[in-house]
Amino acid sequence: MAEDPRVFFMDLALDEARRGWGLTNPNPMVGAVVVRDGKVIGKGFHRGAGLPHAEIEALADVRRNGADARGAELYVTLEPCSTTGRTGPCTEAILASGIAKVFVGVVDPNPRHAGRGIGILRERGVEVETGIAERECAKLNRSFFKWIVTGRPFVTLKLATTLDGRIATASGDSKWVTGEAARSRVQMLRKLADAVMVGGETLRRDAPRLTVREPEDWPRQPLRIVATRDAELVSQLPELYPDGRIEAVNLPDAAAWDGFLLGLGKREMIDLLIEGGGGVAASALAAHAVDRVEFHVAPKILGGKESRPAVAGASPELMAQALKLRGVEVARLGDDVMISGEF
């Protein structure tokens, strides 16, 4: 067990929350565990919008295990809800269960709810401690957190590049820049995404499926979006994608990007994944529409002045104009390297 048992049990709750990866939108992923005398007696996670919340699932698991939650501790990754929506308030279920203490990973960022559930529990005699593994709990739901506060989706720009920053040859050949592990990572990102975007050139060249294929029976496929002003390409979309799950959008400037993202948010789309190419990447970055970048860098050097860059657009004059990331993380994806960070 970890040195701090609170972190140990919150990590277990996070493991539960991750079981809802890509299935809960527009709700957050939440996990919960019930603990008595240092042992887990029940656990659960939120499985999807309209279904029981993690706390309810965990308390039901306690009963299935023939245990009693009275006097026990509850670890939950997100502040329990206190209002009636598609389901009842979790605060009432916690109070009815007799739970004595609640450990909360992160407070609900919704200005209408922030701290309310915690306050209700404390007023009714339940001890509450917050901020347990807070960074990890918040990171898991960064898409939900941005959407619930701003009304816009969290935007991730993912690009697969060579060491010299190229995504394709001059002729457009790009299969494959990175290896299988990196492509599996893309599948994970698509699971989480409500919509996946590419530029018109990428669509013309590759006609990518932009679907979740791992597993093949994944129940929630993202909407495809192509950023283009080519009317002829738009007219071909029904033939290229007969299932109809594709939309075209023209994004000439920052104002257009802002309106587009706000429109996605109104449709309860909280996560947008941009997969390139260089033109749409440059457009999104110039409009400050990107929250996070994830570059999958292959140990290859392509070379060539005409090879296609990861980010196209106008050439800056000064190094000081470079966009800087914060919270940079580096990880291995097989032989490739993943470098990510936020703005």
Side-chain angles (χ1 to χ4, degrees), residues 161-167 297-304 307-310:
T161 81
T162 60
L163 279 175
D164 51 339
R166 302 296 168 169
I167 60 174
V297 183
K300 301 175 182 178
I301 299 174
L302 187 59
S307 297
R308 304 191 181 189

Side-chain angles (χ1 to χ4, degrees), residues 64 72 80 164 178 193 201 324:
R64 283 193 296 270
D164 51 339
T178 51
E201 179 61 27
K324 298 179 182 179

